[in-house]
Amino acid sequence: MPGPDDRAGAAVSLDLIPAELLRPRARRITLITLLVGAVLGVLVWIVAPGWVAVLVGAVVGLPPALGAFLATRRHLRLRGTVVTLSGVFRSRSVDLASLAGVELLVRVAGVSQAVLRVNDGRHNLVSVPLALYTKGGGRELDVLALRKLADALAASEIAPAAAVSSVLVEQLRAEARDAALDERPLYRAIDLAVRAGRTPQTTLTDHEVASLVE
């Protein structure tokens, strides 16, 4: 039986890090970068024309501040089988029931990531961060988001989508029982890439995706 949110067509957030957690950090970054830009502008003003000082201050301070602001306005939502990435200036959507391609990406760094990338074959591509891991732990999509995403991928007719859906179902079970990291498929995806020496970024093959649930 469909749940109330299914019948109502309610959107489910796929934001790995909610905007309310990003905003305090974004405000700090904005203030710091604008202050640094202003200080450099004043220093340049001492030895150069005013317009040069303003330009230097703007070049140094504005891009990081703008980037921090835009990061808090970026949202991922899943409504039914349609995942939508929305931002300040534009949004794009991909229907998971009619996918042209699906990939599980791994990025290895100080903070490693497992990312789902989907496209509809019509120039629409959306990346969904699934998990972030550090040496001491990590952050993963919550149970509801994983379940809805797994269900939506299962509606696709392409085999890779079904395989990734199975990985998410297994991840869902691992999260629900609070399993250790090495029992979680998304963490094992990171470990697989590291052991294979495929860093800092790689796309898992169909066989590797299947091995995450074996």
Side-chain angles (χ1 to χ4, degrees), residues 189-214:
I190 304 290
D191 186 57
L192 186 157
V194 172
R195 286 188 287 107
R198 286 159 47 196
T199 60
Q201 178 171 308
T202 188
T203 299
L204 300 191
T205 66
D206 292 344
H207 176 73
E208 288 170 335
V209 170
S211 73
L212 297 177
V213 295
E214 292 176 353

Side-chain angles (χ1 to χ4, degrees), residues 24-40 57 60-62 64-65 68:
R25 178 178 174 84
R27 282 195 292 267
R28 287 195 297 271
I29 292 174
T30 299
L31 290 174
I32 291 171
T33 56
L34 290 178
L35 179 60
V36 170
V39 170
L40 287 177
V60 171
L62 288 181

Side-chain angles (χ1 to χ4, degrees), residues 7-63:
R7 291 193 297 269
V12 176
S13 173
L14 297 181
D15 291 336
L16 182 58
I17 303 177
E20 56 267 24
L21 297 182
L22 288 174
R23 288 189 188 108
R25 178 178 174 84
R27 282 195 292 267
R28 287 195 297 271
I29 292 174
T30 299
L31 290 174
I32 291 171
T33 56
L34 290 178
L35 179 60
V36 170
V39 170
L40 287 177
V42 170
L43 293 176
V44 172
W45 176 72
I46 295 174
V47 297
W51 68 269
V52 175
V54 171
L55 180 61
V56 169
V59 168
V60 171
L62 288 181

Side-chain angles (χ1 to χ4, degrees), residues 16-214:
L16 182 58
I17 303 177
E20 56 267 24
L21 297 182
L22 288 174
R23 288 189 188 108
R25 178 178 174 84
R27 282 195 292 267
R28 287 195 297 271
I29 292 174
T30 299
L31 290 174
I32 291 171
T33 56
L34 290 178
L35 179 60
V36 170
V39 170
L40 287 177
V42 170
L43 293 176
V44 172
W45 176 72
I46 295 174
V47 297
W51 68 269
V52 175
V54 171
L55 180 61
V56 169
V59 168
V60 171
L62 288 181
L66 181 60
F69 170 78
L70 293 178
T72 64
R73 298 299 188 272
R74 180 183 182 274
H75 299 290
L76 280 160
R77 296 287 184 271
L78 177 67
R79 186 185 296 275
T81 60
V82 178
V83 59
T84 300
L85 172 63
S86 59
V88 174
F89 304 112
R90 64 188 293 264
S91 64
R92 58 182 180 273
S93 299
V94 172
D95 188 345
L96 302 183
S98 55
L99 285 174
V102 56
E103 298 172 310
L104 188 58
L105 278 71
V106 169
R107 296 171 182 153
V108 179
V111 178
S112 297
Q113 303 178 54
V115 179
L116 172 69
R117 186 164 65 186
V118 294
N119 74 84
D120 60 6
R122 298 188 297 274
H123 308 295
N124 283 327
L125 183 149
V126 173
S127 294
V128 182
L130 300 173
L132 301 173
Y133 294 109
T134 63
K135 290 183 179 179
R139 186 179 185 90
E140 302 158 325
L141 274 182
D142 64 36
V143 169
L144 177 61
L146 278 176
R147 179 171 70 84
K148 295 297 185 182
L149 192 54
D151 289 346
L153 285 167
S156 173
E157 296 181 355
I158 63 175
V164 174
S165 176
S166 296
V167 170
L168 297 187
V169 169
E170 191 62 29
Q171 176 74 18
L172 174 65
R173 292 169 178 161
E175 287 190 29
R177 68 175 187 272
D178 196 25
L181 283 180
D182 59 4
E183 297 178 34
R184 302 184 181 214
L186 295 179
Y187 183 82
R188 292 206 299 269
I190 304 290
D191 186 57
L192 186 157
V194 172
R195 286 188 287 107
R198 286 159 47 196
T199 60
Q201 178 171 308
T202 188
T203 299
L204 300 191
T205 66
D206 292 344
H207 176 73
E208 288 170 335
V209 170
S211 73
L212 297 177
V213 295
E214 292 176 353

